[in-house]
Amino acid sequence: MTTEVDVRAYNREAWNGEVARGNMWTRPVGPEVIAAARRGEWSVVLTPRKPVPREWFGALKGQEVLGLASAGGQQGPVLAAAGARVTIFDNSPAQLGQDRMVAEREGLDIRLVEGDMRDLSVFPDASFDLIFHPCSNCFVEDVRRVWREAYRVLRPGGVLLSGFCNPIMFLFDPELEGEGVLRLKYRMPYSDFTSLTDEERRRYTDKGEPLCVAHSLEDQIGGQLDAGFLLAGFYEDKHIEGDKLAEYMPSLCATRAVKPSAR
């Protein structure tokens, strides 16, 4: 990873900007969604389209839940309204502000913490029953540190729900994709920070957009297993409408991983 750019600092400011621009993942849920969640009628997503199976959560009421890199006023307030005790941990102050707004509007008790998803040292070991981690680890360099920290802060028997990208979605020529053509251009390992020319990178930085790192499936899935988790659920999902690759294959994954209980 390049030493010329502070990845965390860059993406913090980029996501603050996405809040100002109204990115779809920064728009807080409305009062009707919270009211429905309080009635037991709720769903949330780890990936763009498919709701997470309700059975993946177990008995949510009363659980200590960590929303890991999941601010934006969307999933956390829904889980809190459904009865969980929710902490949201995120790199973007503006994204955390969206959760704060919903919590104040709806009278929800949500703890908000700013930080780097690779470093959860603010939390003691075995602090949470469940971690909800939607697609966001493409914004850090070392995803294996994320899995190790998640394992540490979960209690034995705790569950990690995570969404992440198939790295193939980063390897096509973006200019041709805009013309409806999929042509491989880049190789793994891939990073917006190091795999692009300065001119190519300005395609994103001139607009203040977040920059991404493509993590291999070995690091995404194998990294969870190496951290100590047992894989207990898996599905794939397609990207948002308008994405050319979505016409051919799902390019996002979701996993349910369990920290084994002590014997």
Side-chain angles (χ1 to χ4, degrees):
M1 181 53 57
T2 179
T3 58
E4 297 179 1
V5 178
D6 183 327
V7 176
R8 179 190 172 193
Y10 176 87
N11 278 330
R12 181 197 299 117
E13 293 309 310
W15 273 105
N16 288 343
E18 292 300 299
V19 173
R21 288 186 286 272
N23 179 297
M24 64 181 292
W25 301 115
T26 73
R27 301 171 195 163
V29 296
E32 72 284 355
V33 174
I34 299 301
R38 284 177 163 140
R39 296 193 303 267
E41 303 165 8
W42 58 272
S43 67
V44 288
V45 294
L46 289 164
T47 55
R49 302 189 189 192
K50 287 186 181 180
V52 181
R54 285 283 291 268
E55 59 268 24
W56 278 23
F57 292 89
L60 183 62
K61 190 171 183 179
Q63 286 195 75
E64 293 286 349
V65 174
L66 174 63
L68 181 58
S70 70
Q74 298 183 358
Q75 302 98 2
V78 169
L79 297 176
R85 295 192 290 268
V86 175
T87 298
I88 299 295
F89 187 89
D90 199 273
N91 189 37
S92 164
Q95 277 282 74
L96 288 166
Q98 302 297 73
D99 288 273
R100 181 178 296 105
M101 184 272 287
V102 178
E104 292 175 351
R105 186 190 72 203
E106 303 295 339
L108 297 169
D109 184 12
I110 300 177
R111 181 186 180 193
L112 304 175
V113 183
E114 181 185 338
D116 182 341
M117 70 181 86
R118 300 166 303 170
D119 179 9
L120 304 181
S121 57
V122 67
F123 305 120
D125 295 355
S127 294
F128 299 99
D129 302 299
L130 184 142
I131 294 175
F132 191 85
H133 178 47
C135 287
S136 55
N137 64 39
C138 58
F139 303 114
V140 297
E141 309 99 304
D142 184 357
V143 69
R144 285 179 176 264
R145 288 177 57 188
V146 178
W147 303 138
R148 290 194 296 268
E149 280 290 86
Y151 187 90
R152 181 184 63 78
V153 301
L154 274 173
R155 293 167 181 151
V159 173
L160 167 67
L161 306 182
S162 58
F164 51 87
C165 303
N166 185 318
I168 194 172
M169 67 187 297
F170 297 100
L171 305 185
F172 295 99
D173 186 330
E175 292 187 357
L176 292 180
E177 277 191 90
E179 300 172 5
V181 176
L182 293 173
R183 186 179 73 183
L184 287 167
K185 180 176 182 179
Y186 304 106
R187 297 176 182 271
M188 289 290 289
Y190 173 85
S191 165
D192 285 344
F193 294 91
T194 58
S195 300
L196 304 179
T197 65
D198 290 343
E199 182 178 358
E200 288 173 328
R201 193 176 303 106
R202 283 195 293 271
R203 182 187 301 124
Y204 310 110
T205 56
D206 283 355
K207 294 182 286 186
E209 294 180 359
L211 295 179
C212 296
V213 178
H215 301 298
S216 68
L217 293 179
E218 183 174 348
D219 284 341
Q220 293 281 21
I221 299 174
Q224 293 184 50
L225 298 173
D226 289 345
F229 287 105
L230 300 178
L231 196 62
F234 180 89
Y235 64 84
E236 292 180 296
D237 195 9
K238 291 187 175 182
H239 204 249
I240 56 178
E241 293 183 11
D243 177 72
K244 186 65 178 176
L245 184 59
E247 298 178 20
Y248 297 91
M249 65 172 288
S251 57
L252 296 108
C253 307
T255 53
R256 181 179 189 267
V258 179
K259 179 175 180 175
S261 297
R263 292 184 178 180

